[in-house]
Structure formats: C-alpha cells, structure tokens
Amino acid sequence: MPRGLLFAIVSLAFTVPSVSFAQTRERVKITGVRLGFPGSGGAAFKAGQWAPVYVDLECTKDTTKDESKLLLIVETKDADEAITEGTVEIPAMAQGDRLNGNELGRIPYLKLGSAYASVTVRVKGAQTGRTYGESSDRWFTGTDTAVFVILGIGTNLNGIRFPVAGVEKGDSPSSRNGWVRTANVLDVGLLPDHWFGFGAVDLMVLGTGSDRAFWETLAAPQHEKRRKAIVEWVRRGGRAVLSVGNNPDVLDSIKEFKDLLPATIPPGSKKMVTGMPFEWKPSGANERNDAIRVADGKSEFPIVTLQPKADRATSTIVDDGSGRPVAVQGAYGLGRITVFAFDLDRLPFTDWNKRAPFWENVVNYCGYMLPPSGQKPEKYSSIQYDDLTTRLQGSLDFFEGVPVVSFGWVALFILIYIILIGPVDYLFLKKVIRKLEWTWVTFPVIVIGVSAAAYFAAYALKGKDLKTNKVDVVDIDLAGKRIDGNAWFTLFSPRIQNYTIAVEPAGPVDGGPAWAANSNAGDTVISWQGNVERNRYGGGGGGFFAKKYKYESGTDPADPNKDLY
C-alpha cells in the first residue's frame, strides 16, 4: 500500500472518533450570540465600555441528572489583548429546552477592547466543571467612540431625523453625517439589569406612547432591577428623555420613574388637541417657534399637563408660547432628565415634516451638543488625536524611582549577547581550549549566565515593592445627599504574580465620617482602563501564554436578590 494512502487512512481513523466524541459531548447548542443593543447599522457597543451579551441556547441532551445549575461563560479581549471572562449562573436544561437571550433571567456583560470585537461562549456544569457547549469566536463591529448613540427604551427610533445640510451621498438623515447611531430595546427581557450595561449610550429616549404592554411588563416586580438600572444610570451621569402623552397612567405603577421625573403629571390632565404650539427657550435652538399638528389639520392627539416639582431645581426648556410647560428638565444626581408633554413616538410627531430640527434640539439640549453637521467624526485610530484618557494613562504608568530601560540599551545588550554566543565562543574554543566540540558545554553556560545576569539586573532595577499610582475624583450630589467616587490606578509588580483586586470606599480618617455606611458597597465596579489612541482602545499583545482574568461579583448575603447579581 502506498505510504501516502496509509497515512490518510490512519489520519481519518484518528479524526473520526474525535469528531464523534465532540458531537456526543455537546449537550447544549449555542444557537445565537448578540453583542450590544440592536439598532441601525448593526450592534451598538463601544470600545472601552461595558456591553450586554445575549445568548440563545438549545439543549440536545439532558443536563439535569448531573447538574443543578449551569455556568454561562462569555469571553473577549481587553485593550492589551488579555482575555477577560464573565460568568452567570442559569438553571440546568432538559432535553428539548430552548432559551433565548431575553429568557435567561440574567445577562452577562463584557467590556470590549476594540470596536471590532470577538466573543467566545461556553456552557459548563457548575458542579462537575464539564463543558456542555462551546462556540467559536463570533465577531462583531461596534460603534466608533466619537459617535453619539441614542437608545430608545420601549420605542422604535427608526423615524428619527436630523437636518440634511451637508449630508454626503450614501448617508441618511437619521445618522446626521455619521455622528448619530440609534438603537432600540423593545423587549423588557433585553434591558440590562445593571447600570453599567448602558455604558455606550449617550442619550436615552423612553417613549410611553406606542407600546403600552412594554411598560406594563416593566412594572412587574421581577423587573425591579431593570427599572433601578435605568435610574442609577441617570444618577451616575446619564442623560434621558421621557415622553408622555397617550399613556400617562403607566407611570403610576413605576415608582422609580415617578421619583426620577422633574415634573408631576396631575391625574386627569390628559386632553386631546388638534395642534400644539411650542417655543424652545434656549437662544441657540433651531426653528424655535412652530406648532405640531396632524397632517389633515383636524385630527386630535393627546397631551398632558406638566407641573415642575417644587422641591427640585428645574427649568422649562420648551413651552407653548404662553408659559405652559411643554418640556421640563431637571438634574437627577449627576445626570439630567427631561420630560415632554406629548409622545415623541406617536402621530403626529413621527410624521411631522419638521421633526428633524426638533430632534436636533432634543439631542443638543437634553443630551450633548452635536458638532457642526459638516464636520466628520474624528477617528480614534488617528495618531494626531489627543485624548484625556491617553494623558491620564501616561501619568499613571510613570513610577518615580523605577527607571525605564531605553530600546537603545536593550539593542546593545542583544548585540553583546549575539557576539558572546557567536564569535567569542568560537574563538575561545579554537584558540584557547582547542576543542570545538566543547561548545555543548560553553553554549549553555553562556545562555544561563546571560539570562541570570538579565534577571538579577531587572530585579535590581525594579526593586521588590508593589507600587500603586492612583487618581481619585469625588462627585458630591448635595440635592440627593450622595457621594460618588471614581479611582483610576496602575499597579507595578516587580515580578510575575497573580493578584485579586478589589475596591472599597475609604473608612473614617482621624475620626471623620466614612465614605459609606457599609464599606463593602454593592455598587462598586472595577475594570480595566485602556488607551484610546492605540487602535481605539487597542494596545500590545497578551502573549501566547497570557492568562485570562475573571470578573467576580461580591454581594450582600442578606440581599434577597443576591442570586441576580
């Protein structure tokens, strides 16, 4: 038998059993993976920000006999190509069970290191550690960090428009020359249950007019964490818009949102009108004065009465020309919330031919000021871009007393090493020892000697102390009587070692008050900080033997919802 044919048969014999074993081992199929929020142009997530991961599962062979719980594990890479892993527990699955991402009851999150990110998913047994399912890398293209992401909650933002001046061929009025990207969450089960899951969002639009069932579902007790996640996101600096017209009563059963709003809606204040005049109060607004009407000029639509809260600092940014508020805005913690007295997601506004400048005003004065429409978004991969995070990381990476060895010195030592193992070794053996075969001894001696010298030299330069550089920023909310702190820090380890890193609010100093009544604050989040200039949060490589690190949640044992964290 020809040798090539024999080799092919032997290879097939080894391959077929391994494939069969892999097929029998897979009890849970990963049928779908989605990253970020669904929207115009694909997934809406940003490099350097947390994003939810939605996974669909199908069980092909029972797992309940061996496991009571399964672990859903998601992995990606950070800015330095190190693998990061997040895990959530889900119930064991029986044969035939199917679970979509909105049915798992909890959502895993990842902080992406690049706008072009890969995600790997595995399903393992919580008791046995056995792998029941695994997917290969799924690749996703996200949103440029400079682009404004507008997220609709309970409403579809496909009808959003902006002025078209300066729009290039191939662009749409909804993207405003590439500056805006919209996304939608129309299923309550897809709402993040942690505030940082909205990390990529610049402006949140909550529309109560078009899908009443969405808000009735969100008001259910099992979705309390999702409601609180939205409120906490605003409190920590998020900016949101809520429109109320047709269904003002849905807010009665959502206490968290009623407390969030800067104005109250009196019972029975809903009324039908054929037109609503408005005037934007900010002097720089586009087309400040106009009126919203149905196209036929006769049909009616609902509006409500807004009464600014007396115990909150508020401002009326839009009125009807006679002083009656149409939009009331107020601070909530470090964020901002604006409520409109009509529906932004229903007729007549969704078909109104002048909604483009109105939407531009909404983003500018309820969210963040948009750049001039003729300007193109800056690309963070540009070497000319100078970002504050780059300067921050550069400062944190500098440790006083730890010398940085320049590339010139490294190149010189490499050259000396090559000379030692080459010409010097050869001449020494030929002229002095006169036995070239002794290179089997001299070569390892040189390699070990140079390696030991390099190790001890590096040890002497780096020292033996673990060093930390840290910058703290403290935000004080006087109205809400709350203090939030942010800490950016870099650790310098003189040797390769594993660490467990946690952050806690500081305790009392010199008899002063503590930052928190409970030093183990449950809402503390720790993650990596990357450099924006390098490949949009892209950096060096983790190496072939790089180890992954895991995110782990610490919860209060007395919390009845601790299993949801």
Side-chain angles (χ1 to χ4, degrees):
M1 180 182 294
R3 182 178 298 178
L5 182 58
L6 177 62
F7 177 76
I9 294 175
V10 173
S11 300
L12 183 63
F14 279 100
T15 302
V16 171
S18 64
V19 173
S20 301
F21 174 75
Q23 290 176 344
T24 57
R25 184 185 65 176
E26 185 181 64
R27 298 188 186 183
V28 180
K29 286 187 177 180
I30 298 164
T31 57
V33 180
R34 299 177 300 284
L35 178 63
F37 301 108
S40 60
F45 66 88
K46 291 184 179 180
Q49 299 290 345
W50 291 93
V53 183
Y54 305 106
V55 181
D56 302 331
L57 304 174
E58 179 183 355
C59 184
T60 58
K61 190 175 180 181
D62 187 82
T63 64
T64 58
K65 295 180 181 179
D66 301 319
E67 312 284 351
S68 61
K69 292 182 179 180
L70 299 176
L71 299 178
L72 177 62
I73 303 170
V74 293
E75 291 182 355
T76 190
K77 293 182 179 180
D78 70 359
D80 293 316
E81 299 292 322
I83 297 176
T84 66
E85 177 184 293
T87 304
V88 295
E89 287 187 349
I90 60 175
M93 301 178 68
Q95 184 173 355
D97 286 350
R98 294 186 179 184
L99 290 174
N100 293 326
N102 61 337
E103 299 170 333
L104 295 179
R106 57 203 66 186
I107 299 174
Y109 302 90
L110 288 174
K111 188 173 181 180
L112 294 313
S114 172
Y116 184 57
S118 66
V119 175
T120 302
V121 181
R122 296 197 314 277
V123 179
K124 298 178 68 174
Q127 282 74 37
T128 65
R130 183 185 305 166
T131 299
Y132 290 112
E134 185 171 3
S135 75
S136 56
D137 287 352
R138 307 283 182 99
W139 289 90
F140 302 89
T141 301
T143 306
D144 193 278
T145 315
V147 172
F148 291 68
V149 172
I150 304 177
L151 177 66
I153 303 293
T155 182
N156 194 317
L157 296 180
N158 289 342
I160 194 171
R161 293 292 183 269
F162 293 95
V164 297
V167 172
E168 296 184 358
K169 184 178 180 181
D171 194 15
S172 68
S174 62
S175 68
R176 198 184 178 275
N177 204 17
W179 276 109
V180 173
R181 189 165 184 177
T182 59
N184 311 296
V185 175
L186 305 177
D187 188 320
V188 173
L190 298 180
L191 276 174
D193 51 5
H194 286 288
W195 63 268
F196 54 80
F198 297 104
V201 179
D202 296 291
L203 177 64
M204 183 183 294
V205 178
L206 302 101
T208 62
S210 60
D211 189 355
R212 183 184 180 89
F214 177 92
W215 298 99
E216 291 175 342
T217 303
L218 182 60
Q222 64 266 30
H223 297 303
E224 178 183 2
K225 285 199 65 197
R226 291 182 163 90
R227 300 193 301 270
K228 289 185 174 180
I230 294 174
V231 173
E232 185 65 16
W233 176 79
V234 176
R235 187 196 297 273
R236 289 175 177 264
R239 304 194 174 186
V241 169
L242 188 143
S243 64
V244 186
N246 191 51
N247 300 312
D249 56 307
V250 298
L251 298 177
D252 294 337
S253 55
I254 306 180
K255 179 182 181 300
E256 296 87 351
F257 287 4
K258 291 183 69 175
D259 296 340
L260 173 69
L261 297 182
T264 59
I265 303 171
S269 67
K270 172 183 170 181
K271 65 178 182 179
M272 305 300 292
V273 298
T274 57
M276 187 188 68
F278 66 86
E279 179 181 349
W280 283 89
K281 308 310 290 184
S283 58
N286 296 321
E287 301 190 20
R288 296 175 58 191
N289 303 289
D290 212 317
I292 300 174
R293 290 186 174 86
V294 181
D296 61 14
K298 300 177 181 179
S299 300
E300 295 182 332
F301 61 95
I303 64 172
V304 298
T305 299
L306 299 178
Q307 292 181 349
K309 292 181 177 178
D311 59 344
R312 296 263 295 272
T314 63
S315 62
T316 299
I317 63 170
V318 185
D319 66 19
D320 64 353
S322 63
R324 181 176 181 271
V326 173
V328 177
Q329 186 176 97
Y332 189 78
L334 305 178
R336 179 193 296 172
I337 176 72
T338 308
V339 57
F340 282 81
F342 66 97
D343 290 315
L344 295 172
D345 55 347
R346 281 175 58 92
L347 294 173
F349 184 77
T350 53
D351 278 351
W352 185 41
N353 59 2
K354 295 184 180 180
R355 67 186 184 278
F358 195 97
W359 270 118
E360 178 124 345
N361 290 336
V362 169
V363 177
N364 284 339
Y365 299 106
C366 303
Y368 297 92
M369 191 67 66
L370 289 166
S373 59
Q375 182 179 338
K376 296 291 289 184
E378 290 286 342
K379 298 299 183 182
Y380 277 69
S381 58
S382 171
I383 60 174
Q384 299 177 349
Y385 193 86
D386 188 12
D387 190 85
L388 291 177
T389 56
T390 303
R391 299 185 184 184
L392 174 63
Q393 184 170 347
S395 299
L396 292 175
D397 285 348
F398 175 75
F399 289 87
E400 187 175 356
V402 179
V404 178
V405 180
S406 67
F407 176 76
W409 282 106
V410 175
L412 176 62
F413 286 125
I414 292 176
L415 179 61
I416 294 174
Y417 178 62
I418 293 173
I419 293 174
L420 283 175
I421 63 175
V424 172
D425 185 39
Y426 174 77
L427 293 174
F428 176 75
L429 293 176
K430 185 172 183 178
K431 301 295 184 181
V432 180
I433 304 299
R434 300 183 185 278
K435 292 183 179 181
L436 293 177
E437 61 271 19
W438 275 48
T439 189
W440 293 103
V441 177
T442 58
F443 182 81
V445 168
I446 293 174
V447 171
I448 295 173
V450 171
S451 299
Y455 173 81
F456 288 109
Y459 192 90
L461 287 172
K462 295 178 180 179
K464 50 187 178 180
D465 297 327
L466 178 67
K467 297 178 181 291
T468 304
N469 282 340
K470 187 161 72 78
V471 174
D472 292 327
V473 175
V474 177
D475 295 303
I476 301 176
D477 174 19
L478 295 177
K481 298 180 181 180
R482 170 168 159 159
I483 298 175
D484 288 290
N486 290 277
W488 291 266
F489 59 91
T490 298
L491 299 181
F492 174 80
S493 176
R495 63 189 62 84
I496 298 175
Q497 191 170 339
N498 291 331
Y499 296 97
T500 299
I501 301 173
V503 175
E504 295 180 356
V509 179
D510 297 331
W515 285 108
N518 177 12
S519 61
N520 296 315
D523 57 354
T524 299
V525 179
I526 183 170
S527 65
W528 58 265
Q529 171 70 36
N531 189 330
V532 205
E533 283 189 340
R534 299 180 301 175
N535 190 26
R536 302 186 207 174
Y537 278 102
F544 185 76
F545 298 102
K547 295 182 179 180
K548 67 183 67 173
Y549 59 87
K550 302 178 181 179
Y551 290 110
E552 189 171 296
S553 296
T555 58
D556 183 358
D559 186 349
N561 297 319
K562 63 180 182 298
D563 292 337
L564 295 178
Y565 287 82

